[in-house]
Amino acid sequence: MNAIYVASLSDYNAGRLHGKWINIGDDAEAVYDEISGILETSPQGDAEEYAIHSFEGFGGIEVAETEEIEDLILIAEALDNFPSAVVQHIYETCEVEHLSEKCQEKYIRTTEFSVDPESAVAEYALDYLTDHGTKGVPQLWLDHIEAVAESLAIHMINSGSVIPLYAGAGTYHLVRGN
């Protein structure tokens, strides 16, 4: 669940905490209506401005006090469809309006059986080699296909064409680099 705690700034400046948690869905107008409700019920009486004082469920992405609600909705949408480590990594490299599109373009897969990035990428490379057939591959290579996959994995990591993102407990998310 993606949520923000929105507080009235005039109340905050007067030494009071007046606000509430708001769930971020796909409707910016509903969020703005809830913010308006907070400001209208302010004990301060003249509340016009708000700030985001806390947040949860944004996958490691830091939410600023003045973050645009529409941007939060786009981030939440990406987090609904992709692993948080992937969304966080891609968020750092693109405009938020392109976040879901870039995640779709760059996300390769998640692997949970590897203990190091080379093994995670090697597992992906081995699956790729076996899925796309081995026609024309010399028998010597076929006899050592796992070693070929490991070598290919090291090349993919070193060249930056695949970036393994560690997610903890032996889980890696693989994204396309360059």
Side-chain angles (χ1 to χ4, degrees):
M1 170 94 35
N2 316 93
I4 54 174
Y5 184 84
V6 175
S8 159
L9 280 180
S10 60
D11 286 281
Y12 179 77
N13 291 335
R16 279 190 297 280
L17 185 57
H18 177 74
K20 74 177 206 176
W21 282 96
I22 300 173
N23 292 330
I24 300 296
D26 60 356
D27 185 1
E29 190 173 322
V31 175
Y32 284 120
D33 286 347
E34 290 204 49
I35 293 170
S36 292
I38 293 167
L39 298 175
E40 289 169 4
T41 59
S42 166
Q44 193 64 18
D46 61 349
E48 296 178 355
E49 296 181 286
Y50 68 91
I52 299 169
H53 283 188
S54 191
F55 57 92
E56 60 183 34
F58 284 91
I61 294 173
E62 291 293 317
V63 174
E65 281 188 346
T66 58
E67 199 78 48
E68 295 291 330
I69 300 302
E70 292 80 4
D71 290 351
L72 295 176
I73 290 171
L74 293 172
I75 293 167
E77 176 186 307
L79 288 166
D80 285 345
N81 296 308
F82 300 98
S84 60
V86 172
V87 174
Q88 181 182 9
H89 173 75
I90 302 219
Y91 175 78
E92 295 170 359
T93 64
C94 77
E95 297 293 325
V96 72
E97 59 265 11
H98 303 295
L99 184 59
S100 285
E101 176 186 328
K102 288 294 185 183
C103 287
Q104 179 70 40
E105 178 185 309
K106 292 194 171 270
Y107 177 59
I108 297 172
R109 73 185 250 182
T110 297
T111 183
E112 298 180 10
F113 304 105
S114 302
V115 293
D116 57 47
E118 290 82 8
S119 296
V121 178
E123 182 179 315
Y124 162 69
L126 182 59
D127 287 349
Y128 181 88
L129 290 171
T130 56
D131 288 350
H132 289 81
T134 54
K135 183 178 180 183
V137 176
Q139 185 60 45
L140 179 62
W141 285 22
L142 291 174
D143 293 341
H144 302 285
I145 197 84
E146 288 184 25
V148 171
E150 289 174 13
S151 177
L152 181 59
I154 291 169
H155 171 74
M156 293 168 98
I157 292 170
N158 289 341
S159 70
S161 63
V162 173
I163 302 169
L165 305 172
Y166 183 64
T171 301
Y172 283 89
H173 302 294
L174 307 180
V175 297
R176 286 179 179 78
N178 308 333

